Amino acid sequence: MIAQAVVTPIAFPDPPLLNSSGVHEPWALRTIVELRTGDGLVGLGETYGDDAHLALVRTAAAALEGLDPFDLNGLVRRVSEALGGVDAPDAHGLTGGSSPQKTLARVVSAFEVACLDLQGRATGRPLHAILGGKVRDAVPYSAYLFYKWGAHPGAEPDGWGEAIDPDGIVAQAKLMVSEYGFGSIKLKGGVFPPDEEIAAIRALREAFPGHPLRLDPNTAWTVDTSIKVAEETDGLLEYLEDPTPGNPGMGEVAARSPMPLATNMCVVSFADVPEAVALGSVGVILSDHHYWGGLRASQRLAGICETFGIGLSMHSNSHLGISLAAMTHLAAATPTLAYACDTHTPWQSGVDVIEPGVLRFTGGAVPVPDSPGLGVELDRDALARMHEDYLRCGIRKRDDTGYMKRFQPDYQRRLPRW
Amino acid sequence: MIAQAVVTPIAFPDPPLLNSSGVHEPWALRTIVELRTGDGLVGLGETYGDDAHLALVRTAAAALEGLDPFDLNGLVRRVSEALGGVDAPDAHGLTGGSSPQKTLARVVSAFEVACLDLQGRATGRPLHAILGGKVRDAVPYSAYLFYKWGAHPGAEPDGWGEAIDPDGIVAQAKLMVSEYGFGSIKLKGGVFPPDEEIAAIRALREAFPGHPLRLDPNTAWTVDTSIKVAEETDGLLEYLEDPTPGNPGMGEVAARSPMPLATNMCVVSFADVPEAVALGSVGVILSDHHYWGGLRASQRLAGICETFGIGLSMHSNSHLGISLAAMTHLAAATPTLAYACDTHTPWQSGVDVIEPGVLRFTGGAVPVPDSPGLGVELDRDALARMHEDYLRCGIRKRDDTGYMKRFQPDYQRRLPRW
């Protein structure tokens, strides 16, 4: 039984990564959840760190004493009651309109992962076994390229250098692929006019002739622009991610695109699925246990995708090792997750809350841990340091647009922009 | 790890129950699966007993040595390889056209239940906890009425008496409800002309004013007849089951029916779901872990139903206590399974393969066992007796139509008939 739920907000340095909403601030926020049982086990979870979400996570945590970590239905019921039907938008606005169901799913998730971690630890089984058994020994991830500045204004350059054109993107890709061995490459677009991003994709294809490529402008384009880009990148992309907002627009683009459209923006909850199926708007759903409601909910999504012939990949926001472990176990136990998953791991500046050594990349893939539960342990010194960084950093809500405006006062978030 | 898989075909007496394909033979067949681990645990499963299915179950059983009972993905892979893509129709033809996927699901199921039973026994957890936690302490079942003869020809009358008209059906219902406490009533129809069955429903409504009622003619009616019956039973039925064959016909009926249509015949595998969603042909799916591929697959179906706003109920064929335990744990851990489930328990002639005392009906519901795994134990004396009955009974394949023809030589299975 859960005796105590501990919630710790932390921060870690984040490079100035550009996207269709602005630029990453110098600190990324996360919340670490620990569920401690009466017999001394600790289950771990990781979620968003913005203050509105943190407050809900704390409210939920206060309602979990006495919960059996096997009782995932009871977890949902308790969190639902604790939140009382609150409807809170996500801080960065990337998952569309809010609803009580989406809020609940986002808050439940970290606790659900921690409960599953406890199930594994209590039974001496790795999490992938709890989830149905691993079908692969290592989970392939994709290089996740960003246009970026060479440094946060006023700060020292980071090790990645500037990337604001095709040459910069190719250099970043070479560095990342040489260090991690990634066999697939995704470019976060929506930053420069589409022709410049198409040129970057062409440069990547030349530099990496055998790597599947993806482009994700985060709905920066109109339907017409999206169709034009899709036609011009015919044969270059394994999928095109969220070119334009909403299922109706995505459906129009999908009908005229030579490659599948992928999404982590127009299908972000179960309530979005029927419309997407009816319109044929997406060929690939990028699942993300952080907002779909956990690992069992992600398996439910996998079953829906398989049933309706929709491909399955995996989305990532800035994250640390607890989430990487959860993503890896889930992907390992999901036979139909055939695409390399997204990860922000290379961007976490070498900082983590978990003890080093368990998770590593080899040939672009993370070997699946076989020790009980998630297989990772909290580094309590690191957790304390990162909590201090959280207290000091002054950031309480992700605000890519506001941060961009500090340096480009006329900057506006406009989706679609082109 | 699984050290041995034991497969035992058994038979138990079955009353002369009538349906749209004929009449039940004097013996119902089942196959009992035992998965024995190296450390002495035994996991139980129960499935169909016809010889073609039994042969596939035996083929699968031979491939399971060394399997970790947590590795459900590995179970599917091993059984799939062992079956080699065989495409075997189900013996009674109630689940429509055959496919390798449906064959695999049907064979995997009993082993999956046995693996989950082992997971529970190995971890000291009831199966409902393995499945996500019970949301109800007892699972309501429905009275399952059949038109029937008073006795198998040439045999002694059974305790239920004849039921070939409204009075007989009401008498059967009163007997069953008084003994089991059922709060819902289902009539298996498709036996007599629709007007006679409508009269039986009206008689049931009069005798049981507060009981939700269901009618299931097993596709005995044309679209036009179905619509006519639906209109005439407006306000009488909580749902109308499989009035007519196939999703297109069901869709036509659904569009003009005042009550939801339910099915365990036109949506019997994941491959059937997209058409049903597109046509709006069903309002309720009756899940059945025996042919959907097990309990996790049934949970996947539950997630699909929830996502697409389709109701969820549970189907039953002639079964024994292992299946009743599995159905009860599954239903207990499935929040959206809001309808009373079907069960053939009252028709099993007091015979079972499990030790008595764990499963019982109180107020029409089965209290959910809280001991490890399924919570039921094999009665080995009963198993041996019932295996002897299997060897002696001479029946190797369910054949309701052939049995009927022995007494009514001009009988033809015709679906739809009216």
Side-chain angles (χ1 to χ4, degrees), chain A residues 11 25 27 29 388-397:
Chain A
E25 294 171 273
W27 296 92
L29 308 182
E388 287 299 315
D389 286 337
Y390 169 82
L391 294 175
R392 267 200 313 260
C393 75
I395 294 171
R396 289 295 175 270
K397 177 184 176 198

Side-chain angles (χ1 to χ4, degrees), chain B residues 347-359:
Chain B
W347 300 114
Q348 79 193 56
S349 311
V351 171
D352 211 329
V353 281
I354 60 169
E355 290 179 1
V358 174
L359 300 179

Side-chain angles (χ1 to χ4, degrees), chain A residues 68 70-74 77 123 125 129-135 270 273-274 277 296 300 303-304 306-308 333-335, chain B residues 68 70-74 77 123 125 129-135 270 273-274 277 296 300 303-304 306-308 333-335:
Chain A
D68 177 351
F70 279 79
D71 187 7
L72 301 177
N73 287 320
R77 187 172 59 243
T123 60
R125 301 279 175 164
I130 302 294
L131 295 175
K134 65 178 179 184
V135 298
F270 292 102
V273 172
V277 166
R296 290 288 182 204
R300 188 185 314 161
I304 290 171
E306 185 176 2
T307 299
F308 287 90
T334 306
Chain B
D68 177 351
F70 280 79
D71 188 7
L72 301 177
N73 286 318
R77 189 173 59 246
T123 60
R125 301 278 176 167
I130 302 295
L131 295 176
K134 65 178 179 183
V135 298
F270 293 102
V273 172
V277 166
R296 289 289 185 203
R300 186 185 315 159
I304 290 171
E306 186 176 1
T307 299
F308 287 90
T334 306

Side-chain angles (χ1 to χ4, degrees), chain A residues 153-165:
Chain A
E156 292 296 302
D158 60 55
W160 291 99
E162 184 182 69
I164 55 169
D165 55 24

